[in-house]
Amino acid sequence: MRSVEDLGTSHGWRLQRGVLEDGRVVFAKTGAVSPLFASEAAGLRWLGEVIDVPEVIEAGEDRLVLSWVDEEPPSAAAAERFGRALARMHRAGADAFGAPWPGFIAELPMDNAPAEDWPEFYAKRRVLPFARQARLPSRDLALIDRAVARFAEVAGEPEPPARIHGDLWSGNLLWSGGRVVLIDPAAHGGHRETDLAMLALFGAPYLDRILGAYQEEWPLADGWRERVPLHQLHPLLVHVVLFGGAYHGGLMDAVARVLAL
């Protein structure tokens, strides 16, 4: 690189803005040797077939280098454009529930091995593994087990695997050039309601515009709003594992709402 500017750290990675010898501005994430960098690169390339993502310039064992994205304030027009693009991305589909690369969310590994259907995939590859890592009281684990046993009953009508981002909170949306550019995916074949539930969990600018445009492009199945807590179980468990008890109340409230479906 011709020049490098440190941007701090995140989840143990060093973040940098750099300028290459050919003048291109890039973003670099570096850290210990890990399959995470190749996994993220694979997810970006896959999502990038149908939606705006940074270009993957290099994916090494200890680094990921992407094209730089200049940010701007969110706008209603960009939100509507993103809602339609997100629906098209989901509709592009996947070969199975899962992915042919190892999964990660933040620094936490996830099992992307395919499963027969979405309720099985979500239970065995997402919710139960993270419930075991979360160091929850036995009474809470028992309630989660009860909720998991209801997944097939409350998940709604079966849908084919959607091409999802997998960690679609507002911090992974970069507003740039009148559109949204997606970063930091945990991409896999999943349920499209999962991405929308993640957007709702921590809020996103102009969320009502995003959802309205999404619905115009590809209407959601009846009952999707009631199923939001179901799709928030995994991200809430991830946050309990990463950050501790601050997210415990939200998790158990979502469990109770799933049990009440």
Side-chain angles (χ1 to χ4, degrees):
M1 290 190 188
R2 182 191 304 167
S3 64
V4 175
E5 174 189 354
D6 277 322
L7 302 176
T9 60
S10 175
H11 296 286
W13 305 306
R14 185 180 180 189
L15 310 179
Q16 298 174 314
R17 181 182 187 272
V19 180
L20 301 181
E21 290 296 335
D22 61 10
R24 285 181 293 170
V25 182
V26 299
F27 169 83
K29 177 192 295 186
T30 62
V33 171
S34 170
L36 176 145
F37 300 104
S39 173
E40 185 174 334
L44 284 170
R45 290 178 177 125
W46 187 54
L47 299 182
E49 294 174 2
V50 286
I51 205 166
D52 291 315
V53 300
E55 177 190 357
V56 177
I57 294 172
E58 180 186 0
E61 293 183 340
D62 62 351
R63 75 189 64 198
L64 179 65
V65 182
L66 307 174
S67 59
W68 183 262
V69 177
D70 287 317
E71 295 185 69
E72 66 187 17
S75 69
E80 292 175 2
R81 193 172 294 117
F82 171 59
R84 292 188 289 271
L86 184 63
R88 290 192 294 268
M89 182 188 86
H90 288 163
R91 204 165 199 168
D95 291 336
F97 294 105
W101 50 78
F104 286 88
I105 188 163
E107 71 269 31
L108 302 175
M110 296 191 298
D111 185 357
N112 273 346
E116 288 296 319
D117 55 35
W118 182 79
E120 178 188 359
F121 177 85
Y122 192 56
K124 294 183 178 179
R125 309 284 191 264
R126 296 295 183 260
V127 172
L128 291 176
F130 284 86
R132 289 193 288 268
Q133 296 178 55
R135 298 182 179 180
L136 297 169
S138 57
R139 63 181 180 276
D140 292 346
L141 290 173
L143 288 172
I144 291 172
D145 284 341
R146 284 177 54 197
V148 167
R150 300 200 66 215
F151 282 2
E153 176 185 352
V154 302
E157 291 298 316
E159 292 194 358
R163 186 172 306 206
I164 74 168
H165 179 281
D167 191 13
L168 199 64
W169 72 290
S170 60
N172 288 338
L173 278 58
L174 301 186
W175 302 77
S176 178
R179 67 197 198 285
V180 170
V181 179
L182 300 185
I183 61 169
D184 291 345
H188 62 280
H191 199 300
R192 60 186 178 132
E193 292 175 14
T194 297
D195 273 349
L196 301 179
M198 189 67 172
L199 281 175
L201 182 58
F202 300 114
Y206 299 102
L207 181 58
D208 58 336
R209 298 292 189 95
I210 295 172
L211 293 175
Y214 187 105
Q215 289 273 52
E216 291 176 4
E217 183 73 26
W218 189 18
L220 291 155
D222 290 344
W224 71 272
R225 291 188 184 276
E226 289 72 25
R227 290 189 292 272
V228 166
L230 168 65
H231 292 270
Q232 290 178 341
L233 290 179
H234 176 242
L236 285 166
L237 279 165
V238 169
H239 279 73
V240 172
V241 173
L242 288 173
F243 306 115
Y247 293 93
H248 177 265
L251 168 66
M252 298 315 298
D253 177 66
V255 171
R257 291 166 68 190
V258 172
L259 289 171
L261 287 174

